[in-house]
Amino acid sequence: MGNGVLLDIRNLNKTFQTNKGGVEAIRSLNLRIREGEFITVIGPSGCGKSTLLKIVAGLDVAYEGSVELEGNRIVAAGIDKGFIFQEPRLFPWLSVEKNIAADLSLRDPAIRRRVDELIELVRLQGFEKAYPRELSGGMAQRVAIARALLRSPKILLLDEPFGALDAFTRSHMQEVLLDIWQQNRTTMIFVTHDIDEAVYLANRIVILKPRPGEISGILANDLPYPRKQASASFQELRLAVLSEFHGKIERQEYVDRAGI
């Protein structure tokens, strides 16, 4: 696909059928994502964020419109699309290194080398032989990220992966993920409810309206890394996201509400 576009979503519509009739989850969504971008998607509960990720992952193909990865319509799940859930979903009977390898053999020198590289990348040296029950929530999620990266996906989809973590661990995991992205430049789409998290991580912030999910706005984020949440430029962009998120209410109301 030309112009560096990796993912091309055109006129995406998704309706779920229930006993009470159709529920429109996504309406007329258009989005182009370039290779190497870090995109955050933010919106209220039920606006279709997770549904969008599942469609891109090939986990839900009952939709209208066009969703293409490198010019090919997404029709099924595959190793070219990594998916990180809110819960790590590790195999409790396997060690860290075997969870990362999953169905691939650590006896293969190439797999062994790559697993070791990923363990270093996600900062889990010394825990190779540990089992999930011996890991913290943040460590378990790092194992899940390493497992997804093992097959070098073209795109990594993250569905509120840090939502269940405490504030300190969440902040640490954001740093780890940015480190992974800056080293690998894997294209990422990261769903979150947290505006600060969206601004802290992304190159572009996609804001969805309440159901049915339509794009309210897309804000570019060219703040340099590492980002300082207390900086004036960070707070200015945060307020812009809040303004778009809540329907462009007067800026001063958000300044007062945020105590700035």
Side-chain angles (χ1 to χ4, degrees):
M1 187 175 292
N3 301 319
V5 174
L6 177 71
L7 180 70
D8 192 5
I9 302 172
R10 296 191 302 273
N11 197 32
L12 175 62
N13 295 275
K14 171 66 183 180
T15 300
F16 290 100
Q17 296 302 324
T18 72
N19 293 334
K20 297 180 180 179
V23 175
E24 195 176 11
I26 296 174
R27 177 190 294 168
S28 302
L29 192 146
N30 293 278
L31 180 63
R32 281 186 158 190
I33 296 176
R34 297 185 182 279
E35 189 171 356
E37 277 196 289
F38 197 135
I39 303 293
T40 50
V41 179
I42 189 165
S45 295
C47 72
K49 301 186 298 296
S50 295
T51 300
L52 173 62
L53 280 197
K54 288 174 182 175
I55 288 171
V56 173
L59 298 172
D60 184 344
V61 295
Y63 61 84
E64 296 178 354
S66 173
V67 183
E68 296 181 349
L69 186 66
E70 289 191 324
N72 299 308
R73 182 178 173 88
I74 295 174
V75 295
I79 61 173
D80 55 344
K81 302 174 288 291
F83 201 108
I84 307 295
F85 297 90
Q86 186 168 349
E87 322 83 38
R89 300 194 179 186
L90 303 181
F91 300 113
W93 59 89
L94 295 181
S95 64
V96 164
E97 60 185 7
K98 289 182 179 178
N99 260 290
I100 294 172
D103 58 340
L104 301 177
S105 174
L106 287 168
R107 293 181 183 144
D108 181 329
I111 300 300
R112 172 81 266 175
R113 184 167 56 252
R114 181 62 177 149
V115 168
D116 289 344
E117 290 171 355
L118 287 167
I119 285 172
E120 182 177 356
L121 183 63
V122 300
R123 308 178 191 176
L124 283 174
Q125 302 99 314
F127 291 92
E128 294 88 346
K129 308 295 184 184
Y131 287 87
R133 65 179 179 274
E134 301 171 305
L135 305 177
S136 68
M139 293 168 73
Q141 200 60 291
R142 278 183 268 164
V143 176
I145 292 170
R147 181 172 60 191
L149 291 173
L150 180 65
R151 290 160 174 78
S152 301
K154 295 184 174 75
I155 192 165
L156 188 61
L157 309 163
L158 303 105
D159 191 4
E160 296 192 71
F162 309 148
L165 304 178
D166 63 82
F168 179 81
T169 305
R170 186 174 191 146
S171 176
H172 176 65
M173 287 299 300
Q174 290 167 359
E175 296 289 343
V176 171
L177 187 63
L178 279 177
D179 190 37
I180 292 168
W181 174 71
Q182 289 172 325
Q183 289 193 49
N184 280 21
R185 289 294 169 176
T186 302
T187 307
M188 297 193 183
I189 306 179
F190 186 107
V191 160
T192 180
H193 280 103
D194 189 310
I195 291 174
D196 286 342
E197 185 168 66
V199 175
Y200 188 74
L201 294 173
N203 305 136
R204 287 193 294 153
I205 303 157
V206 177
I207 304 158
L208 297 185
K209 299 177 183 178
R211 184 188 300 143
E214 296 180 82
I215 292 179
S216 170
I218 301 176
L219 300 182
N221 185 356
D222 56 4
L223 296 177
Y225 297 98
R227 293 170 175 167
K228 304 296 183 186
Q229 297 194 34
S231 69
S233 54
F234 187 100
Q235 291 301 322
E236 184 177 352
L237 183 54
R238 178 179 181 275
L239 291 174
V241 175
L242 272 168
S243 181
E244 186 71 46
F245 189 80
H246 290 286
K248 302 177 182 173
I249 300 173
E250 287 298 322
R251 174 188 171 90
Q252 187 59 44
E253 181 180 349
Y254 291 105
V255 173
D256 293 341
R257 196 178 296 172
I260 297 171

